[in-house]
Amino acid sequence: MILDTAGEVAYELFGELGLDRKPRLRLRATGVFPLRCQRCLGRMDWPLNIETRLELVRPGQAIPEGELENDEFDAIEATPDLDVLALVEDEIVLAVPIAPRHEKCDVPRPSDGAEKKSPFAALEKLRKSDDAT
């Protein structure tokens, strides 16, 4: 989906304690991704602007059921070898739309200007002739 690998993403990662005294990470990331519009197949500059909170849990510790339903933050294991770049990349991948599209654009047309006929146009003619009888 990404048209060009040139560009930058700026990110900040902060450690904090929640009101419940549990350790959390706050991640902010900004940038612009050149994506391919799934409708017109043209370039679409998609602005990345995410802010997410991640609750740290000890390795092997079960995540309480109530916290699985909490949309304010996700839980991750706090390991000594936590790969911060992989964490940032995962959060960015989750933020990118599955099927990016411009708000308004046209579907691609053949270069000679001819309209492509639907393969179901013949079925429509059969249905109309059936209705007439």
Side-chain angles (χ1 to χ4, degrees):
M1 274 196 279
I2 296 178
L3 292 177
D4 188 0
T5 57
E8 294 181 9
V9 171
Y11 71 91
E12 297 175 310
L13 191 63
F14 301 97
E16 62 187 21
L17 285 177
L19 295 175
D20 54 3
R21 308 289 298 158
K22 292 183 180 179
R24 294 197 176 101
L25 293 175
R26 181 181 300 266
L27 171 66
R28 291 183 190 145
T30 58
V32 176
F33 282 89
L35 302 179
R36 181 178 311 279
C37 173
Q38 298 299 298
R39 186 177 298 139
C40 71
L41 303 178
R43 180 186 175 107
M44 177 181 143
D45 288 332
W46 181 77
L48 171 72
N49 190 11
I50 59 173
E51 184 168 334
T52 185
R53 292 187 313 172
L54 305 164
E55 183 169 318
L56 300 173
V57 295
R58 289 194 169 107
Q61 177 183 348
I63 300 169
E65 285 294 322
E67 293 180 17
L68 289 174
E69 296 173 5
N70 189 345
D71 288 337
E72 287 185 41
F73 50 83
D74 292 321
I76 60 168
E77 285 190 345
T79 60
D81 60 343
L82 179 66
D83 187 350
V84 172
L85 289 178
L87 174 68
V88 172
E89 181 181 355
D90 288 347
E91 291 298 317
I92 291 171
V93 168
L94 288 170
V96 173
I98 294 172
R101 291 180 296 206
H102 291 109
E103 296 250 345
K104 294 181 180 179
C105 62
D106 294 324
V107 294
R109 301 267 184 234
S111 58
D112 62 359
E115 295 234 2
K116 185 177 176 183
K117 291 188 178 182
S118 168
F120 299 104
L123 293 175
E124 180 67 22
K125 289 178 186 175
L126 288 174
R127 189 179 75 123
K128 285 183 180 180
S129 67
D130 234 12
D131 290 343
T133 57

